[in-house]
Every structure is written in structure tokens, then in C-alpha cells.
Amino acid sequence: MKVVFAGTPEFAACALRALIEDGFEVPLVLTQPDRPAGRGMQLQASPVKQVALEHAIPVLQPLSLRMDAKDPERAAQATAAHETLLALDYDLMVVAAYGLILPKSTLDIKPCINIHGSLLPRWRGAAPIHRAIEAGDRETGVTIMQMEEGLDTGPMLAMEAIAIDDADTTGSLHDKLAALGARMIVESLRRYAGLKPAPQPEQGVTYAAKISKDEAKLDLHLPAAGLARKVRAFNPFPGAQAQVNGVAIKIWKAEAIDGSGAAGQVLAADARQGIVVACGQGALRLTELQKPGGKRLPAAEFLKGFPLEKLAFD
């Protein structure tokens, strides 16, 4: 089986590695254009592109796959990519966290199979891992599905669930799901001819909207349990934030505990307890924080720069 692969981040790179290692022929990889990254903002290839280059696989990086794009450059790149796919000898396309919408013109060339990091139809959309943790879901998983024009609405080929641990962050859960998705896509393609697509249930549809940096600020008037989930969901990106003495501090680890007081009131701050802040319901124990431009620090180290008598949450 010859597989064109479309994806961009590490979640997708895990699947591409697995397909290559299992012996699938990958004649072409599509991925997002190189982006500035790091302190020097140097152009950096996506994790998927790096894997492709390691294995001498040709790479296309169009800005769009929509040939009717209003921007002439995007339309020209989409047309070139479309013509390449039409001329290419392949059996199907595997898509994982590509970041570009596949128009009908692409979907109609050959079957397109998606690796999605949720138990569809729950958490269709861009940020299923973040939203599952934020919502307090007890489990999530990976769905292998046939792609169609709707947003993650296609029939399902395979699904497998895993538990979400109380300590899971988006980072740790991402790694578990990436490994699961890599295994599942290999298994699914091995027995592709015998798979029977099943329509998604009409009940239980939810949408995982893209994460915005504006969501990062913690509103301490809300219940502590939800804020603790938000801290986990936004680790490593974009990082939950709280205003401390007028400075935006990132909160990397926190847990909800019993406690009462005015929202934002510091109830305790020491090396043993961490920093305990009253919320709208309960309290939040902060155990790992980061000042702007600084390193992540345990609460005890952080407090050396913010003595208790001067510690104030806005």
C-alpha cells in the first residue's frame, strides 16, 4: 500500500514514523510551511517534515489546498499540489493534525483517513486533548475515520479508549494518544480492506475550539476544581496565568483543595503547602510557577522573590 501522509506536529510525526517502520511506502508528505521558532525566531521545519527528510521522502508545503483561494499565491500552490496528487501513484492519504482544511477536490482523488485524538463524536475540532482535560472527562482516545467535507464528521473505522489520569496534562496525554494513534493507524491499514465504516452517533457531539491565549488567564472567582483542570489543560500551551502583584505569572501545576476566603486571597504560602489561594469555591494550591523571562520554579523557590506579606493576586 502506498500512503501519502499529511500532518505537521509531533502527534502526526509519531504516526509517520510508525508507517515507515512497518514498511508502508510513503511517496509524498504534505506539511505546513516552515515557521519561525525559538529565541532567534529561525525558520524551523515541522516534526513531520523532519521525519520525511530523514527518510528522503519528497515534501510539499503549500499554504493552502484550496484552488479557489482568493490569494493568488495560495491558489497557485494549491493547484500545484492538486496536480501533483493527481499524477502520483498512491492508494490513500493518511491525515493527522495537518492544520489545513482538505477541500472536496483533494478528498475526491483517493480515500483520506484521519487520526483524531478523541472518541468521536465527542470533541470534533482543533483541540480535543485540551478540551477533554478542561471538561473533566475521565477517558478519551483515538478514532480512525474516513474524511469527508464536514468537520470530523466522517464514518469511523476504529476507536480505542484510554483513561485520563488525575495528573495528566495536555502534554502527557498528547504523548499517550500519539503513541496510540501511531499503533492504530498501522493496524487499521494492515486490515483496511476488511474494515467496515460505521457512522458516528448523532448524540454526544461536542466541538473542541482552537485554544486562544486569551483563555489563559485564571478567573479566581470560579470554582477551584475547574481552574485546576484548566492549569492541566493549558500545560504546555499556552500556560495558565494569574496576576500576582500586577505581574502575569504562569501557573504550571496546581490542585483544588478545601478552603474559603475572598477570591484571590492568599490563605497560605510556604515551602510545605505551596501557595494556597481562595477561589469562588474552594481553594487552589499552586506548586509550580514561572515569572516572565524566568524558569519554572517550585513554590518554595518562587516565594523567595515574592514574600508572603507582599504576595497579592489581582
Side-chain angles (χ1 to χ4, degrees), residues 19-236:
L19 291 170
I20 294 169
E21 290 170 2
D22 202 66
F24 286 91
E25 183 178 346
V26 183
L28 180 68
V29 160
L30 286 79
T31 191
Q32 289 267 0
D34 297 359
R35 307 290 190 198
R39 291 188 175 181
M41 297 302 288
Q42 300 278 331
L43 285 179
Q44 184 170 317
S46 73
V48 162
K49 181 179 179 179
Q50 293 176 38
V51 173
L53 294 178
E54 290 170 6
H55 295 273
I57 299 172
V59 176
L60 284 182
Q61 298 177 270
L63 291 167
S64 173
L65 291 175
R66 292 188 175 277
M67 293 184 287
D68 59 354
K70 293 181 180 180
D71 178 71
E73 182 180 0
R74 290 174 179 266
Q77 291 187 18
T79 300
H82 182 74
E83 292 174 351
T84 297
L85 290 171
L86 283 174
L88 190 66
D89 177 23
Y90 71 104
D91 298 297
L92 55 78
M93 180 186 292
V94 170
V95 183
Y98 180 24
L100 292 183
I101 295 173
L102 269 62
K104 188 175 186 299
S105 57
T106 302
L107 297 172
D108 285 348
I109 298 174
K110 292 288 175 71
C112 296
I113 308 301
N114 182 241
I115 308 169
H116 186 75
S118 81
L119 301 175
L120 290 171
R122 187 159 178 79
W123 302 127
R124 294 173 178 172
I129 302 175
H130 297 78
R131 299 306 183 190
I133 292 177
E134 185 181 22
D137 291 2
R138 301 312 302 169
E139 68 173 8
T140 186
V142 168
T143 304
I144 307 296
M145 56 168 281
Q146 290 184 350
M147 296 183 70
E148 56 183 31
E149 285 191 272
L151 178 64
D152 299 328
T153 58
M156 303 177 294
L157 299 172
M159 179 185 290
E160 190 168 328
I162 62 170
I164 300 178
D165 296 334
D166 290 340
D168 267 327
T169 64
T170 288
S172 65
L173 189 56
H174 165 280
D175 293 349
K176 295 176 186 178
L177 292 174
L180 176 60
R183 174 174 62 77
M184 287 179 65
I185 191 61
V186 168
E187 293 174 352
S188 296
L189 294 190
R190 283 178 183 169
R191 53 192 182 90
Y192 180 69
L195 293 178
K196 295 182 179 180
Q200 293 185 31
E202 295 182 2
Q203 302 297 320
V205 175
T206 57
Y207 290 93
K210 184 178 180 180
I211 300 297
S212 106
K213 291 185 178 180
D214 293 338
E215 297 180 71
K217 186 175 179 180
L218 298 178
D219 181 354
L220 296 175
H221 292 86
L222 297 176
L227 295 176
R229 293 196 302 269
K230 193 169 184 176
V231 170
R232 291 165 48 218
F234 288 9
N235 181 351

